[in-house]
């Protein structure tokens, strides 16, 4: 099943500065995840994720689009056995007065094997989804 | 088919409510709507392709029912990723502020 959602943030920094922070491997290592990212179209790279429990995951990624300083798109898939849903992450930068709006759009497919049994009421879920959707444009 | 597109429409949400209560045919659904049968069929087709409802044949009739597992799963899944990005963007903000 496909899904997508977007998150926006406004940073009081110039677009070039925000662009540099999302396209430099050392910067990404500080705010996102440890990585061997290279700002090159079609470059393959990894993201190393360690969660609070110490569990390690690796994501295999590729640079699909690179339009400095406005847009970058990655493909991203978990490096694990079995079918994994492939995802894309889009970074869109919009210059604003005094800053930059960064919009991250995450699109993907859900891993069918991860489906848990439905618990709880249908109306509760729809209500939760409505309020989840409301803040998004 | 994007689940969010599927549930964005009020008629489709109403269809999901009715099909979550119990299995129904198109004929049983029609009295609840002001739109044409063609419109209801289109909505059901969309809900089918998004994985939110399933269908089975009973004689001449096609019986539809909701798959609430699908919606709950999407909700949990996207919540996890949303939280992930929110915390990462917090860190990006701090990182940017620290750069000269």
């Amino acid at each position: 099943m496909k899904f997508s959602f977007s998150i926006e943030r406004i940073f009081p920094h110039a677009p070039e500065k925000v662009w540099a922070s999302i396209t430099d491997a050392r910067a990404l290592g500080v705010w996102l995840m440890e990585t061997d990212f290279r700002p090159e179209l079609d470059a393959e790279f990894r993201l190393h994720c360690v969660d609070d429990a110490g569990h390690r995951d690796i994501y295999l990624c590729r640079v699909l689009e690179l339009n400095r300083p406005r847009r970058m798109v990655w493909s991203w898939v978990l490096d694990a056995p079995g079918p994994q849903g492939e995802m894309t992450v889009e970074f869109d930068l919009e210059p604003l007065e005094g800053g930059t709006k960064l919009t991250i759009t995450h699109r993907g497919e859900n891993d069918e094997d991860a489906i848990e049994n439905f618990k709880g009421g249908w109306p509760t879920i729809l209500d939760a989804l409505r309020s989840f959707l409301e803040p998004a444009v | 088919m994007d689940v969010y597109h599927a549930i964005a429409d009020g008629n489709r949400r109403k269809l999901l409510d009715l099909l979550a209560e119990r299995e129904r045919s198109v004929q049983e659904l029609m009295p609840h709507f002001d739109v044409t049968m063609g419109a209801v069929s289109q909505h059901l087709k969309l809900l089918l392709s998004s994985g939110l409802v399933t269908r089975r044949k009973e004689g001449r009739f096609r019986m539809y029912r909701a798959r609430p597992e699908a919606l709950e799963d999407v909700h949990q899944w996207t919540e996890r990723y949303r939280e992930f990005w929110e915390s990462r963007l917090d860190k990006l903000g701090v990182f940017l502020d620290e750069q000269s």
Side-chain angles (χ1 to χ4, degrees), chain A residues 1-7 9 11-13 17-18 21-22 27 30-33 59 76 87 89 91 102 104 106 109-112 114-116 118 122 125-126 128-130 132-133, chain B residues 1-4 7 13 16-17 20 50-52 66-79 81-93 95-97 99-100:
Chain A
M1 175 184 314
K2 294 185 197 291
F3 74 95
S4 73
F5 66 92
S6 289
I7 295 185
R9 283 289 175 95
F11 297 108
H13 300 275
K17 186 173 172 188
V18 179
S21 300
I22 69 172
V30 172
W31 71 269
L32 183 61
M33 283 183 262
Y59 291 93
W76 152 326
M87 296 175 280
V89 180
F91 300 84
L102 172 64
I104 293 187
H106 196 134
E109 300 220 10
N110 215 353
D111 178 0
E112 291 292 329
I115 288 175
E116 291 171 49
F118 169 60
W122 183 250
I125 289 170
L126 276 183
L129 262 162
R130 277 187 202 112
F132 168 71
L133 284 171
Chain B
M1 166 53 58
D2 190 347
V3 166
Y4 294 102
I7 65 170
R13 286 200 297 273
L16 284 171
D17 283 336
S50 70
L52 289 169
R67 273 188 74 235
E69 303 90 343
L71 218 50
E72 170 68 6
D73 180 48
V74 170
H75 175 64
Q76 283 181 0
W77 219 86
T78 54
E79 265 315 290
Y81 272 93
R82 181 173 285 273
E83 282 165 20
F84 165 81
W85 283 111
E86 293 284 5
S87 75
R88 289 315 198 267
L89 290 174
D90 289 344
K91 287 190 177 178
L92 174 57
F95 178 81
L96 284 165
D97 290 343
Q99 305 302 297
S100 52

Side-chain angles (χ1 to χ4, degrees), chain A residues 30-137:
Chain A
V30 172
W31 71 269
L32 183 61
M33 283 183 262
E34 197 190 310
T35 180
D36 56 353
F37 171 85
R38 282 175 300 129
E40 225 177 85
L41 196 56
D42 290 330
E44 288 179 0
F45 62 98
R46 290 164 182 238
L47 291 165
H48 296 258
C49 187
V50 185
D51 67 16
D52 294 334
H55 178 71
R56 306 185 80 89
D57 277 327
I58 291 181
Y59 291 93
L60 304 175
C61 312
R62 197 157 64 90
V63 180
L64 300 179
E65 280 181 49
L66 193 66
N67 299 317
R68 173 183 171 184
R70 289 300 188 97
R71 182 170 161 88
M72 173 169 64
V73 182
W74 296 348
S75 69
W76 152 326
V77 68
L78 184 64
D79 185 16
Q84 299 299 331
E86 189 168 292
M87 296 175 280
T88 58
V89 180
E90 302 168 24
F91 300 84
D92 283 294
L93 287 75
E94 188 190 321
L96 298 175
E97 177 114 2
T100 305
K101 182 165 88 169
L102 172 64
T103 303
I104 293 187
T105 303
H106 196 134
R107 298 184 201 277
E109 300 220 10
N110 215 353
D111 178 0
E112 291 292 329
D113 289 341
I115 288 175
E116 291 171 49
N117 285 332
F118 169 60
K119 289 164 193 154
W122 183 250
T124 314
I125 289 170
L126 276 183
D127 285 342
L129 262 162
R130 277 187 202 112
S131 54
F132 168 71
L133 284 171
E134 261 141 35
V137 171

Side-chain angles (χ1 to χ4, degrees), chain B residues 1-97:
Chain B
M1 166 53 58
D2 190 347
V3 166
Y4 294 102
H5 174 59
I7 65 170
D9 179 275
N11 281 319
R12 290 199 282 271
R13 286 200 297 273
K14 192 168 172 186
L15 278 168
L16 284 171
D17 283 336
L18 291 165
L19 296 174
E21 272 174 30
R22 61 178 180 82
E23 206 179 34
R24 295 176 206 246
S25 65
V26 178
Q27 291 74 12
E28 291 175 284
L29 290 167
M30 282 313 302
H32 296 269
F33 294 90
D34 281 332
V35 298
T36 64
M37 186 178 277
V40 170
S41 292
Q42 281 298 105
H43 286 312
L44 286 170
K45 208 165 134 182
L46 203 147
L47 289 172
L48 266 171
S49 72
S50 70
L52 289 169
V53 311
T54 57
R55 178 176 75 181
R56 66 176 186 91
K57 261 193 175 165
E58 182 159 294
R60 279 191 306 118
F61 296 101
R62 286 173 168 171
M63 304 301 290
Y64 292 83
R65 72 170 182 84
R67 273 188 74 235
E69 303 90 343
L71 218 50
E72 170 68 6
D73 180 48
V74 170
H75 175 64
Q76 283 181 0
W77 219 86
T78 54
E79 265 315 290
R80 229 168 58 211
Y81 272 93
R82 181 173 285 273
E83 282 165 20
F84 165 81
W85 283 111
E86 293 284 5
S87 75
R88 289 315 198 267
L89 290 174
D90 289 344
K91 287 190 177 178
L92 174 57
V94 169
F95 178 81
L96 284 165
D97 290 343

